[in-house]
Amino acid sequence: METQNFKFETVAVHAGVEPDPSTGAIMTPIFATSTYVQPTPGQHKGYDYSRTANPTRTALETSIAALEGAQHCLAMSSGCTGTDVLCHSLNAGDHVVSVDDVYGGTSRLFRTVWSRHGIETTFADLANQDLKDFVRPQTKMIWIETPTNPLLKIIDIERVVAQAKKLNPRPLVVVDNTFASPYFQRPLELGADVVLHSTTKYLNGHSDVVGGAICFNGKELKEKLHHIQNSIGGVPGPFDAWLVLRGIKTLALRMKRHEENAKEIADMLEKHPKIERVLYPGLKSHPQHEIAKRQMGGFGGMITFFLKGNLETARGFLEKVKLFSLAESLGGVESLIEHPAIMTHASIPAEMRAKLGISDTLIRISVGIENVEDLKKDLLQALG
Ligand SMILES: *Cc1c(COP(=O)(O)O)cnc(C)c1O
């Protein structure tokens, strides 16, 4: 169905989803097939081998592209595969400028894998520092994540894009939109070239898939990036594609509830005497609250806070929560809590973590869609 003229909630339910022509099934079938029969050599219906394309995956790609306002989307086997495919589009000798406070796996890929293939990355605090102070003639990609992970800094996408556009050659501006989801932020509309998602998180929303996606405009970029993905092979299976497509149908409802709950919890934590500081883009005290208000439609469901005390205080608190599950990842319907220094960001060298401010008392929560009173009670009892 053409969904261009519909609003987000409608697009989320309908984009990419056509009744199956052979049976009328309203839901996209899981096309569990590796190959497709050809009536004569070289003639087919757009599908010849499932690494190259698969109809369930096509439906998912159409859906995510519509949500991001992109011409094209490529669904990936994970968010990291999306990052990897984009790195593969660079050449040895090229240079990347990345936000310093990026997802640990992104940082690890830049620092420990691509550095060995001649691609150097400079990490910069683009919330407080200027892109132009870090670029070189070889800079071919700018990597923005906003809100960042775990410090929830907000990067002004339009400002970075304006600076990147002045450069020659003009680098690709990529925005990791995993934390906001397209419901709250659409970076292509702000001038970015590529949007990356870990669909593992909010897009799927039910903590039962690892997946990724990249979205962009232009035929040339489509051919280049699809060629790379098809050559290296990081594709999601049809069942995973189907699960994410199913998850997306309730994205708008979920994001709204994640945010409502997060706002209330952030307010409660900010007033609590055992908490030193709360970072949530929706709080007036957040250093980039005004930018968040301008570039996002809402502030999301992630909250970071610093406990008063030390590592033992943090450990005690994390052992006492009952409803919040102590686990990595985020963006599912259930609430999660974690300790970035020991868990999600352990792959970041200790001195880099210290410089960023990822301390032993830093806690990150992914607020789920449960009843907020139950969530608040759980945090309060654990704070004691
Ligand atoms: C999880 C995550 C990734 C990596 O995605 P995977 O699906 O785990 O490979 C990238 N960016 C952000 C912001 C993430 O949270």
Side-chain angles (χ1 to χ4, degrees):
M1 188 191 296
E2 276 301 320
T3 53
Q4 261 154 312
N5 296 324
F6 292 114
K7 301 254 190 291
F8 191 94
E9 293 81 352
T10 313
V11 176
V13 173
H14 290 285
V17 181
E18 304 287 348
D20 175 46
S22 63
T23 61
I26 192 165
M27 285 301 153
T28 312
I30 302 166
F31 283 93
T33 188
S34 58
T35 190
Y36 306 82
V37 177
Q38 308 192 3
T40 184
Q43 192 188 324
H44 57 73
K45 297 172 175 165
Y47 298 95
D48 58 356
Y49 188 62
S50 278
R51 174 164 26 75
T52 312
N54 171 284
T56 315
R57 199 165 102 218
T58 305
L60 173 63
E61 292 172 339
T62 306
S63 168
I64 300 177
L67 295 177
E68 285 290 355
Q71 288 168 358
H72 307 291
C73 168
L74 293 172
M76 300 283 160
S77 53
S78 71
C80 285
T81 307
T83 309
D84 192 47
V85 164
L86 290 164
C87 288
H88 268 282
S89 75
L90 305 176
N91 296 313
D94 286 352
H95 173 246
V96 178
V97 177
S98 167
V99 169
D100 56 0
D101 180 31
V102 272
Y103 174 69
T106 305
S107 164
R108 181 174 58 194
L109 189 61
F110 289 147
R111 283 181 297 102
T112 70
V113 178
W114 282 101
S115 61
R116 292 190 291 106
H117 298 282
I119 291 168
E120 202 187 322
T121 303
T122 302
F123 294 93
D125 177 6
L126 294 180
N128 297 298
Q129 294 173 302
D130 249 1
L131 174 66
K132 65 174 171 10
D133 297 332
F134 299 92
V135 291
R136 305 174 188 171
Q138 301 81 5
T139 305
K140 295 289 172 58
M141 187 162 78
I142 313 296
W143 194 274
I144 302 176
E145 191 177 302
T146 181
T148 66
N149 178 13
L151 296 167
L152 303 176
K153 287 190 231 171
I154 303 293
I155 316 293
D156 187 336
I157 298 172
E158 281 179 312
R159 188 165 139 256
V160 175
V161 166
Q163 292 181 343
K165 280 191 172 152
K166 286 191 203 133
L167 301 171
N168 185 19
R170 154 119 158 69
L172 207 60
V173 178
V174 182
V175 177
D176 183 334
N177 201 27
T178 300
F179 270 36
S181 92
Y183 184 68
F184 287 134
Q185 178 169 274
R186 281 178 296 283
L188 297 184
E189 290 172 4
L190 302 171
D193 300 301
V194 181
V195 166
L196 175 116
H197 277 288
S198 168
T199 57
T200 312
K201 317 293 166 55
Y202 288 109
L203 285 182
N204 179 59
H206 295 75
S207 306
D208 49 13
V209 172
V210 171
I214 52 176
C215 303
F216 45 86
N217 293 323
K219 195 163 162 250
E220 210 179 307
L221 200 52
K222 163 80 192 281
E223 279 169 9
K224 185 173 179 177
L225 296 173
H226 183 255
H227 171 83
I228 293 169
Q229 183 185 31
N230 190 37
S231 302
I232 63 180
V235 297
F239 182 55
D240 283 359
W242 182 85
L243 278 172
V244 179
L245 187 62
R246 175 186 163 125
I248 283 173
K249 293 179 212 283
T250 55
L251 179 67
L253 290 173
R254 286 186 284 108
M255 292 314 294
K256 227 167 135 170
R257 180 59 170 263
H258 282 299
E259 189 196 28
E260 272 168 26
N261 285 358
K263 270 183 175 157
E264 253 196 65
I265 290 173
D267 280 340
M268 177 192 87
L269 293 174
E270 196 166 47
K271 289 184 200 117
H272 198 282
K274 290 196 177 163
I275 289 181
E276 193 172 289
R277 185 163 181 222
V278 181
L279 295 171
Y280 179 67
L283 289 174
K284 285 205 180 68
S285 59
H286 188 284
Q288 294 97 29
H289 175 63
E290 291 304 319
I291 302 171
K293 262 198 337 206
R294 175 157 46 79
Q295 83 180 7
M296 303 175 77
F299 306 108
M302 300 298 297
I303 304 173
T304 291
F305 55 94
F306 297 87
L307 289 169
K308 287 182 186 163
N310 53 28
L311 178 60
E312 286 322 301
T313 325
R315 206 179 270 285
F317 169 71
L318 291 168
E319 284 168 1
K320 271 190 231 131
V321 287
K322 294 193 181 85
L323 188 50
F324 279 82
S325 300
L326 179 61
E328 302 197 1
S329 199
L330 60 113
V333 289
E334 70 291 333
S335 294
L336 300 180
I337 192 161
E338 68 117 359
H339 190 274
I342 298 177
M343 296 168 70
T344 48
H345 290 66
S347 67
I348 309 272
E351 64 283 13
M352 202 167 163
R353 275 203 312 266
K355 206 174 130 220
L356 287 170
I358 304 174
S359 72
D360 285 344
T361 58
L362 175 69
I363 309 282
R364 187 189 80 179
I365 58 178
S366 170
V367 179
I369 64 167
E370 300 96 333
N371 184 290
V372 72
E373 295 307 322
D374 291 334
L375 295 174
K376 281 159 66 178
K377 249 191 246 163
D378 189 41
L379 292 172
L380 287 176
Q381 68 78 21
L383 284 166

